[in-house]
Amino acid sequence: MRQIDRRPFVFAVVIYLLAWFLGFPIRAQSAPLEEVECTLILDAASGETLYRDGVCDQRFSPASTFKVPLALIGYDAGILSDEHTPAWDYKPEFKAAKRDQKTVDPTIWEKDSVLWFSQEITRRLGNERFAGYVSKFDYGNADVAGTPGRDDGLTRSWVNSSLEISPVEQVNFMRRLLAGELPVSAKAHAMTQAILPTFRSGGWTVQGKTGTTRLGESADKRSLGWFVGWANKDARSIVFARLVIDTKRSDTPKGPQARTMFLKELSNLVDRSK
């Protein structure tokens, strides 16, 4: 019978255990490729779980869902004023996609998910204030260091980089936002809620933010899509997170896909909890 050399396997296990013992980060994106899905819905007032399905406690890049806490920061710091102020003109050095080469205000920023507008907010904050806000929010792992060796924490830490958050943490953050419990001004809470895109689904009024990115550094990057936010119907108020990660790369934005499916299913998902 052929003998199998187990030494490479044993060596890999030893290295993994040593890294774990010494406290080195073992990141979710480094795991073997696998599909990940989560749908999580909580009662906004009580925190009761109304629906939970899939992998909901694993952290991944927030991508453009980070525009929700960043709006809170921008309004609290006085960089943003109201729904349409400031309106910043596009500059060639932003090197944005053609669709984003336009004048952008806070409402357009959230609706069209404009990265360069986010980066202008964080540049005005500076590293110290930016990191301080994210830490005070207790947002995911609160790591805004960015990609090692790239000095991009201030402008890209939330896009397939160091900052990560789980669906469980997303919905808890949304609960605190709706309750006005985050360490920012009342105006920041109110204005952030005012500029989030609004949708309709089976009698529900839904406000939320999508997020799309590709995980990993290899050519076969996985496609990630988020949709997070809150919804109201009559006297009911819920918070939610939908996360979808495909093993294959996709050229179609995954966030809007996640939003479309969630809006289609929302009424049935909440009805199951009754």
Side-chain angles (χ1 to χ4, degrees):
M1 179 181 295
R2 180 185 177 188
Q3 295 295 316
I4 300 175
D5 187 355
R6 293 184 172 84
R7 286 175 295 179
F9 173 77
V10 173
F11 180 74
V13 171
V14 169
I15 292 298
Y16 179 91
L17 292 175
L18 182 62
W20 175 83
F21 179 76
L22 292 176
F24 294 141
I26 301 171
R27 296 181 57 175
Q29 283 97 320
S30 298
L33 292 179
E34 59 181 10
E35 291 187 357
V36 177
E37 288 191 14
C38 168
T39 302
L40 180 59
I41 303 173
L42 304 187
D43 181 89
S46 68
E48 176 189 359
T49 300
L50 303 178
Y51 183 86
R52 177 170 177 160
D53 182 60
V55 180
C56 297
D57 54 4
Q58 192 170 342
R59 287 172 171 166
F60 294 94
S61 170
S64 284
T65 66
F66 186 66
K67 288 182 174 68
V68 180
L70 191 52
L72 287 162
I73 295 169
Y75 283 113
D76 189 68
I79 297 170
L80 307 181
S81 300
D82 57 36
E83 293 100 321
H84 302 294
T85 310
W88 291 330
D89 294 330
Y90 174 77
K91 298 177 182 179
E93 56 263 34
F94 295 157
K95 298 179 181 179
K98 187 172 182 179
R99 74 178 188 93
D100 294 336
Q101 296 177 14
K102 59 189 177 185
T103 300
V104 176
D105 65 21
T107 300
I108 295 172
W109 168 51
E110 294 286 358
K111 179 177 71 72
D112 293 346
S113 211
V114 180
L115 176 60
W116 69 257
F117 195 96
S118 299
Q119 294 170 331
E120 284 298 285
I121 293 173
T122 56
R123 288 189 185 103
R124 284 164 168 76
L125 283 166
N127 285 294
E128 187 174 346
R129 280 210 297 170
F130 177 50
Y133 270 112
V134 177
S135 178
K136 286 194 301 182
F137 286 173
D138 194 25
Y139 185 85
N141 65 357
D143 183 353
V144 294
T147 308
R150 295 187 184 176
D151 191 28
D152 62 357
L154 188 61
T155 56
R156 293 194 65 89
S157 56
W158 61 92
V159 185
N160 188 24
S161 186
S162 59
L163 187 62
E164 296 180 335
I165 191 168
S166 70
V168 170
E169 292 167 324
Q170 289 268 30
V171 294
N172 287 330
F173 183 83
M174 294 299 166
R175 282 192 69 215
R176 293 167 65 201
L177 168 56
L178 289 183
E181 295 176 349
L182 290 161
V184 292
S185 66
K187 175 183 177 179
H189 282 93
M191 293 307 307
T192 298
Q193 293 182 48
I195 65 172
L196 261 286
T198 300
F199 309 90
R200 302 285 179 178
S201 174
W204 288 89
T205 300
V206 182
Q207 285 187 266
K209 186 72 194 75
T210 58
T212 300
T213 190
R214 291 170 180 166
L215 299 177
E217 298 292 336
S218 62
D220 59 347
K221 293 178 181 179
R222 289 181 288 172
S223 297
L224 172 149
W226 285 102
F227 184 48
V228 303
W230 57 85
N232 300 287
K233 181 180 180 181
D234 301 325
R236 302 188 73 185
S237 181
I238 62 171
V239 292
F240 63 84
R242 165 67 67 88
L243 171 66
V244 180
I245 299 175
D246 286 346
T247 56
K248 296 179 180 179
R249 174 174 176 162
S250 172
D251 292 326
T252 304
K254 208 69 185 172
Q257 288 184 19
R259 180 185 64 206
T260 298
M261 293 306 298
F262 181 81
L263 293 175
K264 182 179 180 180
E265 299 168 3
L266 175 58
S267 292
N268 288 335
L269 296 178
V270 177
D271 287 343
R272 293 184 194 180
S273 67
K274 291 182 179 180

